[in-house]
Amino acid sequence: RVADILEASSNPREAVVLSACRGVTDALLGLVTLAEQPDGYIASAIEQMKRRHEELAAELLSRSAYEAYRALLNKDCRDIAGVLQTVRLIRAATDSMRDVISGYGEIWSTRLFASFLRERGRIPGEVLWIDARQVVVVEWGPLGPAVQWSASERNLRQLVSKDFQGRLIVTGFVATTTTGIQTTLGRNGSDFSGSIFGALLDASEIIIWTDVDGVLSADPRLVPNAQVIDQLSYNEAMELAYFGAKVIHPQTMEPAVARDIPIYIRNTFAPQKHGTLICAHPVSALKVKGITTIDPVALVNLEGAGMIGVPGTAHRLFGALRDAGISVILISQGSSEHSICFAIPQAQAVRAEEAVRCAFDAELRDGQIQHVEVGLGLSILAVVGDGMAGAHGIAAKVFNSLGNAAISVRAIAQGASERNISLVVDGKFAAKALRAVHAAFYLSPNTLSIGLIGPGTVGRVLLAQIASQVERLRALNLDLRVRGIAGSARMLLEEGAIDLELWPQRLADAGEALDLDKFVAHCQADYIPHTVIIDCTASAEVAGNYRDWLARGIHVVTPNKKANSGPLPAYHALKEAARAAGTHYLYEA
Ligand code: ASP
Ligand code: MG
């Protein structure tokens, strides 16, 4: 698949940085841990890994290339066994031993791929294997590995001439220290390797091939409607990366940002898709790009009349947190200066409270500061987008959607860059808040989740009518999604929307036993702004649920006369439920 992707490109020069085969780095590190124990069969664990690579090579390479690959692999495994023997003797591995061993996965994957690509022979020019340990020089500091650019560039020039034509196949993850000792770029460092080589080679673009379609507007596990963001600025990508959109690490972006090289995030398993472009000046109509949550967080609130107009309170507060080694995620202070609050990872709440109480011990005793409160179990919701700067109505939309979802906001922060609105909500409501805000920006407010009960004479015709109008209505900003169809014994539920041409077949093939509660719960997906249940039965039992549905915020549409022809108090109760919940009850077909 990777070779296909490469062969489809018409660039005369490309470099490909590969990580290890899946799970190999973990397995290699596992070997080191195993060797630190007195027992444990190192030999058989090495053998297993060797066999896996041999099998891959046997499948992909010709006999002679396979033999050559195997000879090198065998030698590496003997070397690994030697290092592990030392580890076993002293019962503790050093960091550099760990680095040496964990880097073999990339050596093996790239050697295999380079051989494979060469043998396929479908790309003009040379296929050159590059061992990144001979190129990338880094110095490990408290902020991670710092690339020594000029030394690395010199090294690369010695291996690759300026007019090289063809493909470079480069090991990800591994590097060398300034003292010439083998090291790595940290776990999942191959993306970083990619971007380092992009910078060293002065590439016109960097593509990160991953297993998702791109950077998503929200976590798809929480928001099934999350969409691939077409374009992002470097800053937006940094903001989203920070807030847990794990697709690209800020460290990976850095070499590209410094040289203004665009980065694409694309899916190896769906190369026809465009993916996400991350660059300096994206053209995109979207003001809000992504919405994410971070949790669990704690909110610490320092409150007291004694702080008003007194300079230096914030300095002392955050100084105390710095001394305690606590990094603050969000800060907010109202202009009255009566209180100041900040959010931190929940795991650090106890230490933070201690640090703050200790710093303001005297003021707390004298009553100049009344209290230090800590709220636990909270989430931060962040709304990110460069386009919010100078635009109006964005914050209004955010808070409106939260208000409509009955979620209360505990604290708010927006920097002057206007690139990020962050707010703190109760952790219990984090997913709901995320969906509500996502729906406000990514879905039309007029998106309807529809469940139809009783696809008989009337129901069938209605479904056909919806099918014939759905496109036209979408152009008018009304998005009808029939997500559930329930017959008398079976029902069909679909996450996106049921194909209204094929539903009878789908109901027969993919339907399940009718469960009305499950049906209604599915139709009322809380990431879609509105839910409508259409009852096309003549059943009194189904009609008996209207009141409950209306009270739960579900609109009811029906030609069924049962609810309107029973006892008057029941009818009044039903109308009252609709009025209280603000839902529609529409009958007479
Ligand atoms: N193989 C390395 C790791 O698993 C680097 C990578 O996968 O990006 O951490
Ligand atoms: Mg990996």
Side-chain angles (χ1 to χ4, degrees), residues 453-454 488 514 516 535-546 549 558-564:
I453 306 174
S488 52
L514 176 65
L516 201 53
D535 173 18
C536 294
T537 69
S539 149
E541 201 192 319
V542 174
N545 291 297
Y546 293 174
W549 295 341
T558 184
N560 182 336
K561 300 176 186 67
K562 290 289 193 286
N564 295 356

Side-chain angles (χ1 to χ4, degrees), residues 506-559:
R506 291 280 301 155
L507 181 61
D509 297 346
E512 52 190 287
L514 176 65
D515 172 345
L516 201 53
D517 289 336
K518 185 173 172 195
F519 179 82
V520 174
H522 168 85
C523 292
Q524 195 177 24
D526 53 5
Y527 60 91
I528 300 184
H530 306 284
T531 306
V532 184
I533 299 277
I534 304 176
D535 173 18
C536 294
T537 69
S539 149
E541 201 192 319
V542 174
N545 291 297
Y546 293 174
R547 183 182 154 188
D548 172 47
W549 295 341
L550 290 163
R552 280 168 59 182
I554 299 172
H555 309 288
V556 175
V557 176
T558 184

Side-chain angles (χ1 to χ4, degrees), residues 452-531:
L452 184 131
I453 306 174
T457 314
V458 175
R460 266 170 200 277
V461 173
L462 179 61
L463 287 172
Q465 287 179 342
I466 294 176
S468 72
Q469 297 301 314
V470 104
E471 283 308 321
R472 200 178 63 87
L473 292 173
R474 199 171 296 138
L476 300 173
N477 204 21
L478 181 62
D479 187 359
L480 304 184
R481 301 185 185 179
V482 177
R483 299 176 59 252
I485 296 178
S488 52
R490 294 173 72 69
M491 64 181 185
L492 174 65
L493 306 180
E494 239 151 68
E495 203 47 64
I498 295 171
D499 185 326
L500 293 178
E501 316 274 296
L502 302 178
W503 70 264
Q505 194 54 45
R506 291 280 301 155
L507 181 61
D509 297 346
E512 52 190 287
L514 176 65
D515 172 345
L516 201 53
D517 289 336
K518 185 173 172 195
F519 179 82
V520 174
H522 168 85
C523 292
Q524 195 177 24
D526 53 5
Y527 60 91
I528 300 184
H530 306 284
T531 306

Side-chain angles (χ1 to χ4, degrees), residues 277-289:
L277 164 63
I278 304 173
C279 61
H281 303 290
V283 253
S284 173
L286 290 170
K287 289 198 166 42
V288 167
K289 296 293 179 60

Side-chain angles (χ1 to χ4, degrees), residues 203-496:
S204 56
E205 59 185 40
I206 295 168
I207 308 174
I208 311 264
W209 290 95
T210 173
D211 56 0
V212 293
D213 287 344
V215 181
L216 292 173
S217 54
D219 182 340
R221 286 165 306 180
L222 298 175
V223 184
N225 264 70
Q227 287 162 39
V228 174
I229 310 173
D230 55 349
Q231 299 193 4
L232 282 170
S233 71
Y234 294 125
N235 283 325
E236 288 171 329
M238 298 261 185
E239 293 271 357
L240 287 173
Y242 175 78
F243 280 98
K246 294 266 157 19
V247 179
I248 185 162
H249 194 285
Q251 183 189 49
T252 302
M253 276 182 273
E254 190 208 57
V257 176
R259 289 158 192 80
D260 208 350
I261 304 173
I263 302 173
Y264 291 85
I265 310 286
R266 298 186 59 182
N267 193 347
T268 321
F269 303 96
Q272 75 285 1
K273 295 189 178 163
H274 290 291
T276 299
L277 164 63
I278 304 173
C279 61
H281 303 290
V283 253
S284 173
L286 290 170
K287 289 198 166 42
V288 167
K289 296 293 179 60
I291 304 149
T292 55
T293 49
I294 174 166
D295 43 23
V297 299
L299 194 64
V300 182
N301 188 34
L302 182 69
E303 194 168 306
M307 303 189 328
I308 299 173
V310 180
T313 315
H315 173 83
R316 281 170 59 200
L317 174 61
F318 295 112
L321 292 171
R322 178 205 56 208
D323 294 343
I326 294 168
S327 157
V328 177
I329 309 174
L330 168 153
I331 302 171
S332 176
Q333 183 195 269
S335 53
S336 73
E337 301 181 52
H338 178 233
S339 71
I340 179 163
C341 76
F342 58 89
I344 48 172
Q346 177 153 301
Q348 297 173 357
V350 175
R351 270 199 303 131
E353 182 175 2
E354 254 169 37
V356 175
R357 283 195 184 281
C358 180
F360 291 95
D361 186 41
E363 287 85 348
L364 279 161
R365 264 187 283 122
D366 297 345
Q368 286 162 312
I369 286 181
Q370 275 91 40
H371 34 239
V372 179
E373 284 167 341
V374 182
L376 299 175
L378 303 170
S379 290
I380 295 180
L381 181 83
V383 183
V384 173
D386 288 345
M388 301 197 295
H392 50 80
I394 307 275
K397 224 175 186 177
V398 171
F399 291 105
N400 241 325
S401 56
L402 291 173
N404 288 339
I407 293 164
S408 107
V409 175
R410 300 279 294 265
I412 304 167
Q414 183 199 271
S417 73
E418 297 187 60
R419 189 175 291 128
N420 175 331
I421 301 176
S422 294
L423 28 98
V424 181
V425 297
D426 194 322
K428 281 204 297 290
F429 302 128
K432 194 173 168 203
L434 187 64
R435 290 167 178 185
V437 176
H438 191 270
F441 287 100
Y442 271 91
L443 298 169
S444 137
N446 304 316
T447 300
L448 272 62
S449 169
I450 298 173
L452 184 131
I453 306 174
T457 314
V458 175
R460 266 170 200 277
V461 173
L462 179 61
L463 287 172
Q465 287 179 342
I466 294 176
S468 72
Q469 297 301 314
V470 104
E471 283 308 321
R472 200 178 63 87
L473 292 173
R474 199 171 296 138
L476 300 173
N477 204 21
L478 181 62
D479 187 359
L480 304 184
R481 301 185 185 179
V482 177
R483 299 176 59 252
I485 296 178
S488 52
R490 294 173 72 69
M491 64 181 185
L492 174 65
L493 306 180
E494 239 151 68
E495 203 47 64

Side-chain angles (χ1 to χ4, degrees), residues 26-46:
D26 284 327
L28 286 163
L29 286 166
L31 281 181
V32 181
T33 311
L34 198 64
E36 286 176 320
Q37 274 129 41
D39 36 29
Y41 294 100
I42 313 174
S44 61
I46 297 180

